[in-house]
Amino acid sequence: MSLPKLRSLQARIALFFVILLITVQAVLVLLVSVSGERIAKDRIAQDLLVGERVFRRLIEQSNRQLADAARILAADFGFRTAIATRDYGTIVSVLANHGARIDANVVMLADLDRKLLADTLHPEQRATEFPFPDLIALAERDRQASSIVLIDGKPYQVVVVPVLAPVPIAWVAMGFVIDDRVAHDLRAVAALHVTFLSERRNGRWTLHASTLPGPLRAALIESGSAAGSKVGLGFVKLAGEEYETLAPVLGSGPEGNVVALLQRSLRESLEPFERLRSILLVMTLFSIGMTIAGSVLIARSVSRPVNRLATIARSIRDGDYSQKAAVEGQDEIGELAASFNHMLDGISAREEEILRLAYEDTLTALPNRAMFLDRLQQAVLTARRTNDPVSVMMLDLDRFKVINDSLGHAAGDQVLREVAHRLRELLRDSDTVARLGGDEFAVLLPTGTSDGVAIVAQRILRTLEAPIMLEGQPVDIGASIGVASFPEHDDEGDSLLRHADVAMYVAKRANSGYAIYDPRYEEGRQTQLSLLSELRRAVENDELSLFYQPKIDLKTGMIRRAEALVRWIHPTRGFVPPVEFIPFAEQTGYIKRVTRWVVERAVQQAGEWHRDRLDIAISVNVSTRDLMSNELVDLVAALLQKHAVPAEQLCLEITESSFMEDPARALETLGRLHALGVRLSVDDFGTGYSSLAYLKKLPVEEIKIDRSFVMHMVEDEDDAIIVRSTIELGHNMGLEVVAEGVEDHSGMEFLKRLGCDQVQGYYISKPLPTPQFVEWLKARRAVEQKPEAASA
Amino acid sequence: MRALVPVVLLAAVEVDAAAVSAMVTDAAGAPVPEAVIYALPASGKLPATAPRPAVMDQINKEFVPFVIPVQLGSSVTFPNKDNIRHHVYSFSPAKIFDLKLYSGKPSSPVVFDKPGPVALGCNIHDWMVGFVYVVESPWFAKTAKTGSARLDLPDGEYDLKVWHPWLRAELPAQRVKVSGTDAQASFRVDLNPPPKATPH
């Protein structure tokens, strides 16, 4: 197993169990070996001792049997009769004959004085001492005696019994030679190797019978082990094999001692342990095999699913949520896989949600700015390749802020949702409609040409013309759209969006509904951006100035009123037309500062002229924003007091649309101004959509007909009708009617006929700086003295 | 034992004599029964006395009595009082004989014509042991349970001898002088009885 593989769970589990098993088995084998050998040795020693006892018992038993047989033989009447004959030949033959009956190899007869009477081995030997007098002595006591003795250098089992008639009359000894057969018989019972050795009086050892195989016998004698083993227990090595040996002395006689060597092979004793060890070894190998196989199987059942989970985890990391973990079984892995799948679902759901939140506008469910930009980039990239045009539309609601401020955010949200809905309904699915923020929407038309886009823009404007129902009331929401196309206007996505934005502002300012981008807008826009800071500086540095345009009273022909118009003489640019900075100032809110400046100057001027008894009222334009706070009222009140100007000498002109955005608030401000005694005039009357109901509530003294009607009223019947109706309407409501934009005598005559109260315009005078205006006025006043001039 | 009594009485009636009381004890001082006491005239001259017949019964598979002393030349009958047969034999040098299986009284008595101990056995009952002790002298007796025996001897000098089947060694004779008065003799014997074989 290589090292990296070892890191795998599978390999580690398998390795652990294999090592554990090998350790346990090794300890077991060691124990079996060590204790086996010790047990075997102990066992051998014990076996030998037991074997020796058995051996001795066997010898005794054999002795007794032989003695019994001998005694029976000695009790044979014929035997005794033959003995009684005292005839040597007869005696020898009866001894041989009867000895043969019990397989005795030698029979001896001794008289009561232990003198040898006959010996079947040595028939010629007579009247010598019986060689084993000790045995006779024993037999006198026990009626029998036995021993293992050497006769002619050979070991014999000898029994001595008396010949009874019925008192002992002689001793008969019967000898049975000890050979291998005897040894084997003994081994069969004692379970030991039996070897009979003799030690002669001269110290020479002879092996007589043994159960050992031939070579070992020789080894036994050669090694001299026999001599060494005489002392008792001990291990004897024979032909490389160890034998535990015990050597009891069996008997001694005149020729020497007979020793039995009882041996047991250590190998034989160890054999059961060797077998056990073999079985253990086989079992160990088998167990190791099984353990490896089992561990691998179990580990695999763990690691495979884990690996699969890891693979899936990697694909999750790479954003692929399509793969699910296979849930196999009810075990922990199965649970893990199930949990994994839950986690996967959770992650995928959350990611979807995050993506949705990241790329979707939550209010309208339209794509958000980020997504829109992304799609725009994609569309531009595609378009670059295919050379197809792509168009971007920016859309801004005209009156959203008013609705939001006056009806609340909920209403605003409803408006946005409705607009989103209408846009989505109108446009194709391939078009992207996004809400960029606030009331700003954007549309991406991947295949639109700029001409086609104009049609789309008109359709959008039309669909937004329908009023939205808010709290049961129809509310109009106009929109302005800016359009920029690729590659016509730019070849970068974000630039296109910016261009569309510029175009939209142009459209808004021009009130033209939609505008297609023109590079020139960008210049104006650039100008505007720098204008803000410059305007700020201009206000602070008094670069602004007021021009005055006189209004003529058509009934008296006298000049009693003038409109103050702000003029900006830029140090480097020169004259900056109001249309270039007033709408801009209105957008940024800086208009309030401008208004303040204008009102301050106008009231101051009014004060001066009042002191000079010039008797001329000054009109000042105020913006929508000015009506939304109390600042204007407080400012006006303070200035009138400061410069001691009668309130009726000041007239504030408000546009019709200005109070439409927040009528209640505007009405409140107008009421307070009216209370001050300041004259109020509705400017640009007829261009807005204000209802007469509103107009009726307004505390105004005059209305001012927009110059767009006045300029063409002489030629255009419709405009003439509007002007006439407006004048009639104003008079009917008790209001003075002022017409502006009067550029010729016929216009003035026409208005005079219609009963218009006051007129202003280039025909009377263009706006003049203060000195020139005063000069013009004085000159005019001089003429006014003449009645004909007044009637002119 | 009863057979002995008439013998003694006869001796007392026949001659003027005196009684010799002999006491036999063993090494431990215990009285020894069944010991044969006999007297040999110191002169060596034995009277010509006709030997008397004797009887050795076999009762209940035992020789009864255990020991009978007889005078040389006596004939002894071996009546079988058991209802089984016996085969009485002797391989003793003093008298070798055997009476083949018989019951009741054997056809002829056995004449003991050599002095010395004769061990009797039964060939089919190994434990049966009896002794006939053949003495040359007519003067002999056997100790009773008390270990004593009495010899009525005519006046004179005698060598008293003792014999017992288990006697380890022969004891020297004791000389006694008999002259009308009773004499005393005592023997201390060393016995070596063989292991008792059990009947079966």
Side-chain angles (χ1 to χ4, degrees), chain A residues 486-628:
Chain A
F486 168 92
E488 199 179 329
H489 302 130
D490 209 306
D491 57 357
E492 292 290 340
D494 43 359
S495 303
L496 279 176
L497 191 64
R498 206 171 58 238
H499 294 334
D501 192 43
V502 168
M504 180 199 73
Y505 271 106
V506 169
K508 189 176 274 280
R509 207 160 50 228
N511 228 343
S512 58
Y514 74 92
I516 290 172
Y517 176 74
D518 188 310
R520 280 174 298 171
Y521 296 163
E522 206 74 58
E523 291 163 20
R525 186 176 173 79
Q526 290 302 321
T527 314
Q528 279 178 359
L529 282 175
S530 58
L531 269 181
L532 177 60
S533 55
E534 289 180 21
L535 179 60
R536 192 168 281 151
R537 201 178 58 233
V539 171
E540 283 158 13
N541 297 351
D542 272 351
E543 284 174 20
L544 300 179
S545 60
L546 285 181
F547 278 37
Y548 297 92
Q549 186 173 37
K551 298 175 184 174
I552 185 167
D553 188 326
L554 290 179
K555 288 194 181 71
T556 62
M558 295 208 296
I559 307 295
R560 289 292 180 269
R561 298 181 191 165
E563 183 179 0
L565 294 163
V566 68
R567 288 289 179 266
W568 183 8
I569 311 299
H570 195 273
T572 54
R573 294 190 211 186
F575 178 74
V576 180
V579 74
E580 280 187 16
F581 67 93
I582 292 299
F584 177 66
E586 275 175 346
Q587 277 170 36
T588 56
Y590 196 70
I591 192 68
K592 282 161 91 173
R593 186 76 185 78
V594 176
T595 303
R596 187 183 174 87
W597 183 88
V598 169
V599 171
E600 276 178 2
R601 272 303 175 81
V603 175
Q604 188 187 0
Q605 189 63 62
E608 281 176 29
W609 285 342
H610 181 62
R611 278 196 297 282
D612 295 346
R613 301 184 186 284
L614 213 52
D615 187 21
I616 189 140
I618 299 174
S619 293
V620 174
N621 291 291
V622 293
S623 76
T624 309
R625 287 178 186 272
D626 298 318
L627 292 183
M628 296 302 134

Side-chain angles (χ1 to χ4, degrees), chain A residues 75-77 80-82 84-86 140-143 164-169, chain B residues 87 89 91 93 96 98 119-121 123 126 128-131 166 195-197:
Chain A
D76 185 84
F77 196 72
R80 285 183 296 186
T81 309
T85 59
R86 309 253 162 192
E140 274 181 340
R141 197 186 69 204
D142 302 334
R143 307 193 69 182
L164 294 172
V167 290
I169 56 168
Chain B
H87 176 183
Y89 69 87
F91 291 113
I96 295 176
D98 75 307
L120 300 172
N123 197 29
D126 285 351
M128 288 172 66
V129 179
F131 288 92
W166 314 136
K196 181 74 182 165

Side-chain angles (χ1 to χ4, degrees), chain A residues 210-243:
Chain A
S210 179
T211 54
L212 292 172
L216 289 182
R217 297 181 189 200
L220 192 65
I221 292 298
E222 273 170 32
S223 69
S225 304
S229 66
K230 194 166 55 162
V231 286
L233 278 171
F235 278 95
V236 175
K237 207 159 199 172
L238 292 179
E241 215 178 292
E242 272 196 292
Y243 286 86

Side-chain angles (χ1 to χ4, degrees), chain A residues 436-734:
Chain A
L436 303 186
D439 58 345
E440 251 184 0
F441 292 84
V443 178
L444 175 66
L445 302 164
T447 55
T449 61
S450 54
D451 292 344
V453 172
I455 298 168
V456 174
Q458 284 164 355
R459 281 172 57 205
I460 289 174
L461 289 172
R462 249 201 315 283
T463 197
L464 295 180
E465 268 170 22
I468 292 172
M469 295 301 288
L470 285 180
E471 295 167 6
Q473 288 209 21
V475 174
D476 286 316
I477 41 142
S480 301
I481 296 172
V483 179
S485 296
F486 168 92
E488 199 179 329
H489 302 130
D490 209 306
D491 57 357
E492 292 290 340
D494 43 359
S495 303
L496 279 176
L497 191 64
R498 206 171 58 238
H499 294 334
D501 192 43
V502 168
M504 180 199 73
Y505 271 106
V506 169
K508 189 176 274 280
R509 207 160 50 228
N511 228 343
S512 58
Y514 74 92
I516 290 172
Y517 176 74
D518 188 310
R520 280 174 298 171
Y521 296 163
E522 206 74 58
E523 291 163 20
R525 186 176 173 79
Q526 290 302 321
T527 314
Q528 279 178 359
L529 282 175
S530 58
L531 269 181
L532 177 60
S533 55
E534 289 180 21
L535 179 60
R536 192 168 281 151
R537 201 178 58 233
V539 171
E540 283 158 13
N541 297 351
D542 272 351
E543 284 174 20
L544 300 179
S545 60
L546 285 181
F547 278 37
Y548 297 92
Q549 186 173 37
K551 298 175 184 174
I552 185 167
D553 188 326
L554 290 179
K555 288 194 181 71
T556 62
M558 295 208 296
I559 307 295
R560 289 292 180 269
R561 298 181 191 165
E563 183 179 0
L565 294 163
V566 68
R567 288 289 179 266
W568 183 8
I569 311 299
H570 195 273
T572 54
R573 294 190 211 186
F575 178 74
V576 180
V579 74
E580 280 187 16
F581 67 93
I582 292 299
F584 177 66
E586 275 175 346
Q587 277 170 36
T588 56
Y590 196 70
I591 192 68
K592 282 161 91 173
R593 186 76 185 78
V594 176
T595 303
R596 187 183 174 87
W597 183 88
V598 169
V599 171
E600 276 178 2
R601 272 303 175 81
V603 175
Q604 188 187 0
Q605 189 63 62
E608 281 176 29
W609 285 342
H610 181 62
R611 278 196 297 282
D612 295 346
R613 301 184 186 284
L614 213 52
D615 187 21
I616 189 140
I618 299 174
S619 293
V620 174
N621 291 291
V622 293
S623 76
T624 309
R625 287 178 186 272
D626 298 318
L627 292 183
M628 296 302 134
S629 71
N630 290 324
E631 277 176 56
L632 182 66
V633 183
D634 299 338
L635 177 70
V636 168
L639 287 173
L640 289 178
Q641 197 174 3
K642 181 182 175 189
H643 298 290
V645 177
E648 63 271 15
Q649 289 293 88
L650 185 66
C651 175
L652 298 179
E653 294 188 7
I654 51 174
T655 56
E656 185 188 345
S657 59
S658 65
F659 57 81
M660 288 307 298
E661 285 178 6
D662 188 355
R665 192 79 195 269
L667 213 55
E668 189 199 337
T669 310
L670 292 177
R672 291 184 62 193
L673 288 170
H674 181 70
L676 283 178
V678 173
R679 192 178 171 83
L680 295 173
S681 170
V682 177
D683 202 1
D684 306 335
F685 188 80
T687 54
Y689 304 90
S690 57
S691 67
L692 290 173
Y694 277 124
L695 187 60
K696 202 181 89 186
K697 288 183 189 169
L698 291 178
V700 295
E701 280 77 26
E702 65 171 50
I703 54 178
K704 207 168 175 185
I705 304 169
D706 192 69
R707 65 162 57 83
S708 57
F709 303 115
V710 175
M711 278 161 71
H712 310 292
M713 62 183 178
V714 179
E715 312 90 73
D716 191 322
E717 187 62 24
D718 288 345
D719 283 356
I721 291 170
I722 289 173
V723 171
R724 188 169 61 238
S725 305
T726 306
I727 292 168
E728 279 174 16
L729 175 73
H731 286 169
N732 288 342
M733 291 179 76

